[in-house]
Amino acid sequence: MTRHSLGRAPAEHPLTYPGRPAIEPTLLSGSETFALAPRQGKRLGDWTVATEQQPALDAVLEEARTPSTGQRHPVIAVGSNASPAQLHHKLAGRGLPTTTPMVPVRVRGIGVGCSGHIGRNGYVAAAPYAEPDAELTLVISWLDTGQLGAVDATESNYRRVLLPGARFPMTMPSGEALGGAYLYVSLHGVLTDTADGRPLPGGGDQRVLLTRLLASSPALRDLLGPGPESWVERARADTAVRREGRRIFRRHGWVLTGSGFPAPEETSATPRTYDELSPPHDDTPYPPVT
């Protein structure tokens, strides 16, 4: 197999946020990644792992004694969860198998902004918002139920919602239209651009973002300045500092609330799998938006 190293996890190196994403279909396994080869018109489990033997992905997962693709939950990443290194950090740190397919997918209707809070690792993480005209390539990871629970536990500032493929079209490299996928939406809204009130673009260079925020606010400079290095050092060390940073965002009027995404499922609901998310249809009932 052609192996690739993971690089650095933003959780451990905050100024590298959002980390190096999966830029091609990838199987994360252990602390390595392996290329996946899409098969036109075929579902994910029939894709092949790029080796001389070209085994089907589901066969590789079965050999690894992990759930097949059909029993996994597709989850869209807009930030560091698109990074194999970050996903490995989250799963391995909880003693779970890391084996996960990760696929860049064309998605319509999602914009990527910045969450209106400071995360426990010191950075300002990306957060999605509904943007009907947007079309982006975003990484979808197929998590098993245990892995999904572990990632949920790291996303305490977000709520997981199910996006229907009829409203948010998702097209795989194989041409398959997905019936839906999960997405983490910030509980704190998204930051606005101070010039025009539009959402501030997220998912880019963290140093540039923090420098911009510090330059826009004497209060943030007093709390977290003078630069990105001091920001992440102080924010990582003190919950009270992170809370005050969030309050400053709100005092400045920088936070947009109301995501435009469907309401979250009931906490007792069993997460739906790839097999259960049927292909989209125009008559698919839509959940209410928030």
Side-chain angles (χ1 to χ4, degrees):
M1 291 186 177
T2 303
R3 295 174 169 85
H4 302 281
S5 62
L6 300 182
R8 296 191 293 179
E12 298 176 317
H13 304 276
L15 290 177
T16 68
Y17 184 91
R20 189 174 68 199
I23 60 173
E24 63 180 2
T26 294
L27 176 64
L28 170 64
S29 182
S31 58
E32 300 171 315
T33 62
F34 307 92
L36 296 175
R39 295 184 63 194
Q40 195 66 25
K42 297 291 187 180
R43 284 170 60 81
L44 178 61
D46 293 323
W47 295 12
T48 55
V49 181
T51 67
E52 289 184 7
Q53 294 77 23
Q54 303 248 325
L57 174 57
D58 271 348
V60 172
L61 295 176
E62 180 181 359
E63 184 176 353
R65 298 183 179 180
T66 64
S68 66
T69 55
Q71 300 307 306
R72 291 171 174 262
H73 314 283
V75 181
I76 302 169
V78 298
S80 64
N81 286 343
S83 164
Q86 185 83 327
L87 195 55
H88 176 273
H89 175 87
K90 291 185 175 187
L91 299 177
R94 289 162 175 76
L96 293 173
T98 64
T99 303
T100 309
M102 305 178 71
V103 180
V105 176
R106 292 298 294 175
V107 182
R108 291 215 317 263
I110 298 176
V112 179
C114 303
S115 183
H117 81 289
I118 301 170
R120 68 173 68 88
N121 295 313
Y123 45 69
V124 176
Y129 61 93
E131 181 61 72
D133 295 332
E135 184 170 353
L136 300 172
T137 297
L138 300 172
V139 173
I140 295 183
S141 295
W142 269 256
L143 303 175
D144 68 31
T145 300
Q147 292 171 334
L148 181 64
V151 175
D152 280 352
T154 71
E155 302 292 351
S156 59
N157 288 290
Y158 294 75
R159 56 189 175 85
R160 176 164 48 82
V161 303
L162 180 61
L163 301 189
R167 183 188 292 173
F168 299 91
M170 310 167 199
T171 307
M172 296 275 276
S174 60
E176 177 188 359
L178 295 179
Y182 287 98
L183 177 72
Y184 291 103
V185 177
S186 177
L187 293 169
H188 306 287
V190 295
L191 297 180
T192 66
D193 187 296
T194 54
D196 62 10
R198 291 277 301 159
L200 191 65
D205 188 297
Q206 185 72 185
R207 289 178 182 274
V208 171
L209 173 62
L210 299 186
T211 298
R212 176 175 181 167
L213 295 174
L214 288 166
S216 300
S217 169
L220 284 177
R221 290 197 296 276
D222 289 344
L223 180 70
L224 294 161
E229 292 80 7
S230 60
W231 177 306
V232 297
E233 181 180 357
R234 294 178 189 178
R236 292 183 87 182
D238 194 336
T239 301
V241 167
R242 298 195 295 272
R243 289 175 178 165
E244 178 60 21
R246 186 176 74 225
R247 286 192 285 265
I248 291 171
F249 291 164
R250 292 188 173 274
R251 287 204 298 269
H252 286 327
W254 289 355
V255 179
L256 290 174
T257 57
S259 69
F261 292 117
E265 294 180 325
E266 295 292 334
T267 55
S268 59
T270 301
R272 297 175 69 182
T273 65
Y274 179 38
D275 274 352
E276 293 168 337
L277 292 165
S278 58
H281 300 285
D282 289 341
D283 59 354
T284 300
Y286 295 151
V289 298
T290 60

